[in-house]
Amino acid sequence: MARATKRRSRRGETFMAVLFLLCGLVVIGWVGVIALYLVVSGLPVLVSYGPLRFLFGQVWASTAPDPQLGIFPFLATSVVGTVCALLVGAPVGVLTAIYLSKLARPKLAGVVRPAVELLAGIPSVVYGLMGLLLLCPFLMRVFRWKSGATLLAAVVVLTVMILPTLISVSESALLAVPPEYEEASFALGATQVETIWKVSVPAARSGIVAGLVLGIGRAIGEAMAVLMVAGNVPNLPWFSRPVTFLTTAIAKEMGYATGVQRQALFSIGLVLFGFVVLLNGVLHWVLRGGKHS
Amino acid sequence: MNHRRAVRRRVTDALLRGGIYASAAGVVVVLAAMLGYVFYRGLPQLTWSFLTGQRSELAGTVGIFPNLLTTLYLIVLTLLLAMPIGIGGAIYLNEYAPSCRLAAGISFAAETLAGIPSILYGLVGYLIFVPLVGRACVLAGGLTLSVMVLPLILRTTQEALKTVPVSYREGAAALGATKWHLLRTIVLPEALDGILGGGILAVGRILGESAALLLTAGTGYQLIPNLGKALRSSGGTLSVMLYVAVSERGEYQVGFAIAALLLLLGLFINAGVRGCRYLRKKRGERNAATSQRHHHS
């Protein structure tokens, strides 16, 4: 009797272990399935149209009788938009993280930290709404443009959207700096700001860079907010022009696309996936580099 | 010479300090401005008839009740699909993981999933789940989102499991408890608040999602009383309807009303996550106190 119970319980043990293993394998499986589907559906047009012509062609006219499928305007816009958002967002994000981790009095940090969390939780369509009805009219009036829906509007919206990522990752990196480093710096007569700038930030370098990479990923993948404020014309990127990003090209045309146009949109998805994989690789490299040094 | 250096030092110090304070203040101001403006324009629109009514061009009414239902269905469906797999995967990673390489593979896969933009989830859902179910509908949307929130649930569960003290496991193992028994009776109940927090975070993610749903769940706004039929019909969540109202119909009032509702729900979710975190912290202190007492005796 006791032996039977024991055997049953051992069988139950094995069953649960296998079940949990399967759950883990499902996660790996999904990555494989997603990669496979994107490659299989995205590759045909990329190959038949010619990869270089596709990536560096300047004209996108997917609905023309003789479709032109150059995605260089989207590619350039995504890169320029992301870089600009990072150029503004990175200093603000890192400085805010410094404030939260080193300078803030607990009561004030208790205001700023929830603000960052709330900002992270705001849906992208709400950012889009604010951009469309507040930012775009503002830009139009200030610069006397015909329309405010431009690259500049998209960059501003993206900057705000990546801030929470930059701040929270940098903050945890700065909090992880051993206090002995900073104490040693104080003991040598450095001021608080000097200590932060010359000791804490360099020590938290790899974490801060990881935050920047995650921010890049967030910016390059954002679709809906940008769709609402960027104007959606396949122009080469310039601040005063309406532009289309890689993501918005997919979001805008997918609903009604057929045939080659549809397949070309899958190819854009594949290009975007390429960026994501690349960023993931960079992230891994940064974090591992930080651990070894 | 020395004097000039001291001045320069003080100036750099002041400049950096100014930049730091200005940045932190900027973040708070941006949030306050957004909340203020959305509530100012949206809250007055958020009436009972708007919440319980239904959009109808014939009757000239606006309402989001069907979309509230769609959002609710989608949240329940997604969590039902994603929670078991995410929690199971986390348990495997944290409690079993016999071969390091496999565990590293699962972690890497979860990180990769977390980095994939939602528009690509939309594309993949459109390629896999929409043909599988037959059309763009709530069911296809839920399947898509269940893959999207999987890494979030896995990571938060894993973190919660990590906070359960090793001494608990060792104690139970010394008493002859098997692994599953130990998990079921001690580890999982201890980690419950953390797992719950992850679930709430996932709800927030689903509420705010739009790019992945536009192609997979559609933009339907009809009230369908039959649950089975509702799951198999096109349905737009609150976020998706916000986009449709603003970008396709130019109904800014409706947009602001939905935005205000989304922000209110966001505040609730934030409070829920904080509550779970607070419970976990309390538990951590209690555990520390208990183990200290044991050491002394």
Side-chain angles (χ1 to χ4, degrees):
Chain A
M1 179 67 190
R3 200 187 287 165
T5 322
K6 208 170 178 185
R7 199 185 308 137
R8 203 178 318 134
S9 120
R10 197 178 304 147
R11 206 177 296 151
E13 277 303 296
T14 322
F15 176 74
M16 290 316 289
V18 170
L19 199 64
F20 293 139
L21 170 66
L22 281 178
C23 291
L25 290 179
V26 165
V27 180
I28 297 184
W30 273 124
V31 174
V33 167
I34 289 172
L36 188 75
Y37 264 84
L38 284 174
V39 169
V40 166
S41 57
L43 218 49
V45 163
L46 202 62
V47 170
S48 68
Y49 195 76
L52 287 180
R53 229 175 116 213
F54 185 74
L55 288 174
F56 296 107
Q58 307 264 336
V59 181
W60 173 266
S62 57
T63 46
D66 180 25
Q68 298 243 52
L69 304 173
I71 64 161
F72 188 69
F74 309 152
L75 206 60
T77 302
S78 275
V79 171
V80 170
T82 303
V83 168
C84 291
L86 200 69
L87 282 180
V88 186
V92 177
V94 172
L95 289 176
T96 308
I98 290 174
Y99 174 77
L100 281 176
S101 58
K102 306 290 171 194
L103 290 177
R105 262 171 271 143
K107 219 172 225 172
L108 274 174
V111 176
V112 179
R113 202 168 284 128
V116 174
E117 277 172 30
L118 282 175
L119 219 48
I122 294 180
S124 44
V125 282
V126 176
Y127 281 107
L129 178 72
M130 293 293 288
L132 185 66
L133 293 182
L134 209 59
L135 181 64
C136 290
F138 174 77
L139 292 178
M140 196 167 83
R141 209 167 307 148
V142 170
F143 294 104
R144 298 170 192 284
W145 290 337
K146 266 183 285 176
S147 155
T150 54
L151 177 65
L152 182 60
V155 166
V156 173
V157 170
L158 283 179
T159 304
V160 179
M161 289 186 78
I162 64 174
L163 273 179
T165 311
L166 298 176
I167 294 170
S168 58
V169 178
S170 306
E171 191 202 346
S172 31
L174 283 165
L175 282 174
V177 174
E180 292 85 4
Y181 290 17
E182 286 151 11
E183 282 156 14
S185 169
F186 286 134
L188 290 171
T191 64
Q192 192 174 25
V193 172
E194 280 170 341
T195 302
I196 290 168
W197 209 244
K198 299 202 171 135
V199 178
S200 313
V201 170
R205 195 178 49 222
S206 76
I208 293 175
V209 174
L212 296 183
V213 176
L214 284 172
I216 294 175
R218 180 117 202 247
I220 214 160
E222 178 51 44
M224 300 309 280
V226 170
L227 184 64
M228 291 166 85
V229 301
N232 306 321
V233 182
N235 280 326
L236 284 173
W238 186 246
F239 288 111
S240 58
R241 284 187 198 150
V243 288
T244 308
F245 289 67
L246 287 171
T247 49
T248 53
I250 303 171
K252 193 183 139 215
E253 295 190 17
M254 202 63 211
Y256 58 82
T258 52
V260 179
Q261 184 194 4
R262 210 176 87 126
Q263 283 186 310
L265 296 180
F266 291 141
S267 303
I268 297 179
L270 182 59
V271 172
L272 191 59
F273 186 63
F275 269 105
V276 171
V277 170
L278 188 73
L279 285 175
N280 214 344
V282 171
L283 187 66
H284 250 247
W285 181 72
V286 167
L287 288 176
R288 194 174 312 155
K291 237 172 241 165
H292 276 288
S293 67
Chain B
M1 183 65 195
N2 235 344
H3 174 69
R4 201 186 294 165
R5 215 163 68 191
V7 169
R8 203 194 312 156
R9 242 179 100 180
R10 212 171 304 154
V11 169
T12 334
D13 209 289
L15 277 179
L16 274 172
R17 197 175 274 268
I20 290 169
Y21 285 122
S23 298
V27 171
V28 177
V29 166
V30 166
L31 176 81
M34 283 186 69
L35 285 181
Y37 191 66
V38 168
F39 283 149
Y40 168 70
R41 301 255 332 235
L43 279 184
Q45 319 285 331
L46 216 54
T47 56
W48 183 248
S49 66
F50 181 75
L51 288 173
T52 56
Q54 160 170 231
R55 178 191 168 76
S56 159
E57 260 124 42
L58 275 176
T61 56
V62 288
I64 52 165
F65 187 62
N67 311 111
L68 276 171
L69 278 184
T70 300
T71 311
L72 187 68
Y73 294 155
L74 208 62
I75 287 171
V76 173
L77 190 64
T78 305
L79 289 186
L80 278 181
L81 291 166
M83 290 289 273
I85 298 177
I87 293 173
I91 291 177
Y92 180 76
L93 274 185
N94 208 55
E95 311 290 327
Y96 292 85
S99 83
C100 235
R101 196 170 289 175
L102 188 59
I106 296 171
S107 293
F108 183 73
E111 263 171 54
T112 310
L113 280 187
I116 294 178
S118 50
I119 183 82
L120 286 186
Y121 279 108
L123 214 53
V124 171
Y126 181 72
L127 284 167
I128 300 176
F129 295 125
V130 171
L132 191 74
V133 183
R135 63 175 77 82
C137 61
V138 177
L139 197 58
L143 285 162
T144 308
L145 290 196
S146 75
V147 184
M148 196 184 81
V149 300
L150 195 56
L152 180 67
I153 290 169
L154 188 119
R155 203 177 45 230
T156 45
T157 305
Q158 210 187 345
E159 270 161 29
L161 290 174
K162 272 184 195 155
T163 61
V164 179
V166 185
S167 57
Y168 283 27
R169 297 161 214 261
E170 285 168 352
L175 291 173
T178 57
K179 203 155 208 167
W180 170 233
H181 188 79
L182 160 75
L183 277 172
R184 193 165 33 115
T185 52
I186 296 171
V187 177
L188 284 178
E190 275 289 308
L192 195 63
D193 37 24
I195 297 173
L196 201 65
I200 298 176
L201 273 179
V203 171
R205 184 90 204 265
I206 299 165
L207 267 178
E209 187 50 53
S210 45
L213 288 173
L214 212 52
L215 297 169
T216 57
T219 56
Y221 53 85
Q222 258 86 31
L223 185 66
I224 299 161
N226 181 327
L227 178 66
K229 220 170 145 202
L231 290 182
R232 296 185 143 266
S233 333
S234 159
T237 61
L238 293 172
S239 290
V240 171
M241 285 329 277
L242 195 169
Y243 169 73
V244 172
V246 170
S247 283
E248 288 174 11
R249 302 202 196 110
E251 296 171 347
Y252 300 137
Q253 307 299 334
V254 176
F256 274 111
I258 299 180
L261 181 60
L262 282 172
L263 290 189
L264 278 179
L265 291 172
L267 288 173
F268 276 119
I269 282 173
N270 199 272
V273 171
R274 276 169 180 282
C276 287
R277 212 184 290 156
Y278 176 76
L279 283 178
R280 230 169 95 185
K281 207 175 136 205
K282 278 267 136 163
R283 204 196 63 218
E285 282 163 11
R286 203 180 57 226
N287 287 345
T290 326
S291 66
Q292 217 163 36
R293 217 170 26 241
H294 283 218
H295 274 291
H296 282 301
S297 61

